[in-house]
């Protein structure tokens, strides 16, 4: 069983379908790994090619098989528009340790609608680093 932290570097996106007809959209990202969800800042007025360069940290185990990044358009006064999403498999990062920023397709249903650039770093957690004594939870030998 693998436990540790997953650092996600959200670099930016390109070629997103603009959901605002009158002006540039204000995209942000919702990052979800199992039950944990985090949100990026809003790239105000950045339209189809936003840049965030933000890092997010998730506590993960190998039961977390994918990271889903939903791109949204922040709309004041109305509900935010769904732009598209990217699903990133995590299995390889558990064995490799890290991936430099890589481009992933953004889709809406089956329809391609741009790309997102994301870097991943997995740091395994050593049980001894939790501040617990080595013999915690076990039997101490008596002499």
């Amino acid at each position: 069983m693998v436990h540790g932290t997953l650092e996600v570097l959200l670099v930016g996106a390109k070629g997103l379908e603009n959901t605002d007809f009158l002006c540039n959209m204000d995209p942000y990202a919702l990052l979800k790994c199992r039950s944990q969800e985090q949100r990026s800042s809003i790239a105000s007025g950045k339209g189809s090619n936003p840049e965030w360069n933000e890092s997010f940290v998730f506590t993960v185990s190998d039961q977390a098989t994918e990271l889903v990044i939903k791109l949204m358009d922040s709309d004041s006064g109305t509900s935010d528009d769904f732009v598209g999403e990217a699903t990133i498999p995590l299995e390889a990062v558990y064995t490799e340790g890290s991936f430099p920023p890589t481009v992933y397709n953004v889709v809406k249903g089956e329809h391609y609608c741009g790309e997102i650039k994301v870097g991943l770093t997995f740091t395994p957690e050593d049980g001894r680093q939790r501040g617990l004594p080595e013999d915690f939870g076990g039997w101490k030998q008596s002499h």
Side-chain angles (χ1 to χ4, degrees), residues 3 28-29 44 50 77-78 87 94 101 107 117 130-131 135 138:
H3 286 282
Y28 65 92
S44 293
T78 61
T87 301
Y94 293 143
V107 295
K117 195 177 210 180
R130 291 187 192 164
D135 56 4

Side-chain angles (χ1 to χ4, degrees), residues 22-120:
L22 300 175
C23 57
N24 275 341
M25 62 182 176
D26 305 313
Y28 65 92
L30 292 173
L31 297 86
K32 187 167 183 174
C33 190
R34 287 187 63 113
S35 62
Q36 301 169 75
E37 190 168 282
Q38 298 188 48
R39 179 182 167 155
S40 75
S41 62
I42 296 170
S44 293
K46 296 297 183 189
S48 299
N49 301 306
E51 285 189 16
W52 292 282
N53 292 310
E54 293 178 31
S55 289
F56 303 89
V57 176
F58 294 91
T59 302
V60 294
S61 71
D62 54 7
Q63 293 170 336
T65 56
E66 61 188 25
L67 171 71
V68 177
I69 302 177
K70 283 187 179 179
L71 296 177
M72 305 292 291
D73 173 24
S74 178
D75 288 331
S76 56
T78 61
S79 61
D80 294 353
D81 297 320
F82 175 67
V83 177
E85 68 182 7
T87 301
I88 301 170
L90 296 176
E91 200 171 299
V93 79
Y94 293 143
T95 54
E96 297 293 322
S98 69
F99 286 115
T102 304
V103 172
Y104 299 92
N105 286 345
V106 174
V107 295
K108 189 174 186 177
E110 297 289 309
H111 175 68
Y112 170 85
C113 56
E115 58 189 42
I116 189 166
K117 195 177 210 180
V118 177
L120 299 171

